[in-house]
Amino acid sequence: MIAALVVGVPSVATAADNPVYGCETEQAAVGADGDYSPPLPCELHVLVKQPICDNDVPKLRYEVEAIGSPNTTVTLTWINPSGADYVQAGLPLSGTVLWPGAVEQNGVGVDWPGWRQLADGTWVEGDEWDWVRPSVQVNFAVNPEATITVAYPPSSPQCLTSPPGTSVLVDEPEPPVLSATGSNALPIALVGGGLVAAGAIAVAATRRNRRHTEV
């Protein structure tokens, strides 16, 4: 099992999915000579929003760039559309976090959001983390802040993001399709051989008839 499976490429958020809000502190100032200084730039850019699977554990790899802010930590708020949000505070400006609802033991995934295990060991869909799949909005707050949508990483044969055996990991490959010549070579050969044999029999019968006629 590979250490980490990247299921997406590093994403640079655009203006459409990376709204920028103003800093909470007023950065405009009046100098000693009375000159007015305009507010400094205050922006937050989400440079990376990369869902990954790491030893059967769904995670989010991220990187943000804060412009005009002295803050060196970011707070991630996973937005629940129908309940309490999930907050991961005091994080570095770049790093990797566990997907909400995922549980790992000794570095390996043992529970996944949107699934619950019955007493008999059977996994069924439905738990308090249903809302983080298949996609979820995440707010990155440094002061300023930005909200983007991230997709839950899918399972693969190398790394699971759902319980084992609960879903088809990959489509089964179609059996190879032979060409008409390749797939029908044996029947054609058999038919051809039969025709040759029939022809030989017919020729032999004709020769016998001619001999009887000459006699």
Side-chain angles (χ1 to χ4, degrees), residues 32-91:
D33 55 1
D35 293 336
Y36 174 80
S37 298
L40 297 175
C42 186
E43 301 173 352
L44 181 69
H45 300 285
V46 181
L47 304 178
V48 176
K49 48 173 183 177
Q50 190 175 68
I52 64 171
C53 181
D54 183 8
N55 284 335
D56 297 342
V57 184
K59 298 180 179 180
L60 176 66
R61 182 178 296 158
Y62 70 91
E63 181 181 352
V64 299
E65 179 186 26
I67 299 175
S69 173
N71 296 337
T72 57
T73 62
V74 59
T75 295
L76 270 61
T77 301
W78 302 71
I79 301 174
N80 186 346
S82 59
D85 297 335
Y86 181 74
V87 179
Q88 297 165 311
L91 301 174

Side-chain angles (χ1 to χ4, degrees), residues 80 172 208 211:
N80 186 346
E172 290 295 328
R208 285 196 298 270
R211 287 175 185 172

Side-chain angles (χ1 to χ4, degrees), residues 6-175:
V6 175
V7 297
V9 297
S11 301
V12 178
T14 64
D17 60 6
N18 184 15
V20 176
Y21 301 88
C23 292
E24 294 176 0
T25 58
E26 178 59 52
Q27 294 181 321
V30 178
D33 55 1
D35 293 336
Y36 174 80
S37 298
L40 297 175
C42 186
E43 301 173 352
L44 181 69
H45 300 285
V46 181
L47 304 178
V48 176
K49 48 173 183 177
Q50 190 175 68
I52 64 171
C53 181
D54 183 8
N55 284 335
D56 297 342
V57 184
K59 298 180 179 180
L60 176 66
R61 182 178 296 158
Y62 70 91
E63 181 181 352
V64 299
E65 179 186 26
I67 299 175
S69 173
N71 296 337
T72 57
T73 62
V74 59
T75 295
L76 270 61
T77 301
W78 302 71
I79 301 174
N80 186 346
S82 59
D85 297 335
Y86 181 74
V87 179
Q88 297 165 311
L91 301 174
L93 298 182
S94 64
T96 302
V97 295
L98 206 65
W99 211 274
V103 179
E104 64 176 334
Q105 292 180 359
N106 299 321
V108 180
V110 295
D111 196 358
W112 298 266
W115 293 89
R116 57 190 175 91
Q117 192 173 32
L118 302 180
D120 62 358
T122 303
W123 289 93
V124 295
E125 287 189 83
D127 72 354
E128 67 272 24
W129 300 105
D130 288 344
W131 56 276
V132 300
R133 303 175 59 175
S135 63
V136 60
Q137 284 194 319
V138 182
N139 177 267
F140 294 80
V142 177
N143 179 27
E145 62 187 46
T147 299
I148 62 173
T149 299
V150 295
Y152 186 77
S155 286
S156 76
Q158 293 77 30
C159 202
L160 302 178
T161 56
S162 295
T166 56
S167 61
V168 177
L169 301 181
V170 293
D171 293 334
E172 290 295 328
E174 293 290 337

